[in-house]
Amino acid sequence: MEYTKTTEINNGIYLEEYTDGLLFGTDALLLSRFVKGDPKKVAVDIGCGSGAVSLLLLSENKAMHITGIEIQEKYALLSLKNASTNGFKNRFSCVNGDARNPKGLFEAENADYVVSNPPFMKANGGKFNINQSKTIARHEEFLPADDLCKAASLFLKYGGSFYVVYRPERLCTLITALKTNNLEPKRIEFMMANNEQKSPSLVFVEAKKGGAEGVSIRFITP
């Protein structure tokens, strides 16, 4: 039997989540803050899960409408429920589909921006969880960086932005995938622990479709 719990996260959002799945964390919150949006934007959230990032963006008026794409049907349905609970039923929709095969999931070249908090543990690396939902959410074989960037590029208008959070030690993999798919990194932020001797724990990247070369880099703390 699967259980859920409801937690009040930032901006007064009430998020229902499966207790045996990946729960709301700092990466989702910081990713929503990293996004530069406005109330007129149309966006796509690849791998939206229970809808946390989308709901935070909508609550901050960083989009007019967001379409979530989620491979796991139970999470796609839960994201719709969470959107309705929080008053965003008319501004959020979700497609239960696999972003590795992106055609037909969202109209090509129609998004002002795409956002993703993807699985970024290396395929065949790390420990597989016996819980399939967690394994899908964590391991990149269910959405490799190149497939993720290919989908983002397909959905984006020319000049649109892709916002993604990743593991710093795998940044080269991400940047290679971005550039292969005509997404030029423009802004990179490394999340540092308060202890300066520790390596960055997360990296946030904004890439622009068809953008010129040139990137700003900075280091931030929680």
Side-chain angles (χ1 to χ4, degrees):
M1 184 175 181
E2 294 181 314
Y3 296 93
T4 65
K5 71 170 186 175
T6 300
T7 305
E8 184 178 2
I9 60 175
N10 281 50
N11 305 335
I13 298 294
Y14 287 88
L15 189 71
E16 184 176 350
E17 302 176 283
Y18 286 104
T19 55
D20 63 348
L22 290 184
L23 302 176
F24 174 77
T26 304
D27 49 352
L29 176 62
L30 294 176
L31 178 59
S32 69
R33 291 180 176 175
F34 182 69
V35 172
K36 294 179 178 179
D38 67 51
K40 297 180 181 179
K41 301 291 187 184
V42 172
V44 175
D45 182 356
I46 299 178
C48 67
S50 56
V53 173
S54 289
L55 296 180
L56 287 168
L57 291 170
L58 290 170
S59 70
E60 295 165 1
N61 282 319
K62 289 186 175 181
M64 175 178 64
H65 188 276
I66 298 178
T67 299
I69 294 174
E70 174 53 49
I71 192 172
Q72 300 187 72
E73 183 180 15
K74 69 176 187 178
Y75 280 96
L77 293 172
L78 186 59
S79 70
L80 291 170
K81 182 179 179 182
N82 281 327
S84 180
T85 298
N86 289 281
F88 296 117
K89 182 178 180 179
N90 296 326
R91 296 174 61 194
F92 177 83
S93 58
C94 187
V95 178
N96 175 211
D98 188 342
R100 290 173 294 186
N101 301 295
K103 289 185 178 180
L105 298 180
F106 185 82
E107 187 176 350
E109 301 186 345
N110 197 53
D112 295 299
Y113 69 83
V114 174
V115 62
S116 185
N117 183 3
F120 42 58
M121 289 184 68
K122 191 174 181 179
N124 300 319
K127 198 172 183 181
F128 274 83
N129 197 294
I130 58 173
N131 181 305
Q132 186 182 29
S133 292
K134 284 187 177 181
T135 298
I136 291 173
R138 286 176 171 167
H139 288 264
E140 74 156 5
E141 70 177 89
F142 295 94
L143 187 55
D146 188 62
D147 287 332
L148 170 65
C149 294
K150 186 180 298 181
S153 185
L154 174 68
F155 301 148
L156 281 171
K157 297 176 180 178
Y158 187 85
S161 292
F162 178 39
Y163 300 93
V164 60
V165 55
Y166 224 67
R167 292 295 294 267
E169 63 269 25
R170 306 208 60 226
L171 181 58
C172 288
T173 296
L174 176 62
I175 289 180
T176 298
L178 288 168
K179 293 180 77 71
T180 298
N181 290 284
N182 195 28
L183 297 169
E184 185 66 31
K186 303 301 295 182
R187 186 164 57 108
I188 297 176
E189 292 187 358
F190 291 94
M191 171 56 63
M192 305 293 295
N194 290 324
N195 183 345
E196 294 182 357
Q197 294 182 348
K198 290 187 177 181
S199 298
S201 56
L202 295 169
V203 61
F204 300 87
V205 179
E206 176 187 359
K208 182 168 287 190
K209 183 175 179 178
E213 190 174 42
V215 61
S216 66
I217 298 174
R218 72 177 188 134
F219 298 84
I220 60 175
T221 55

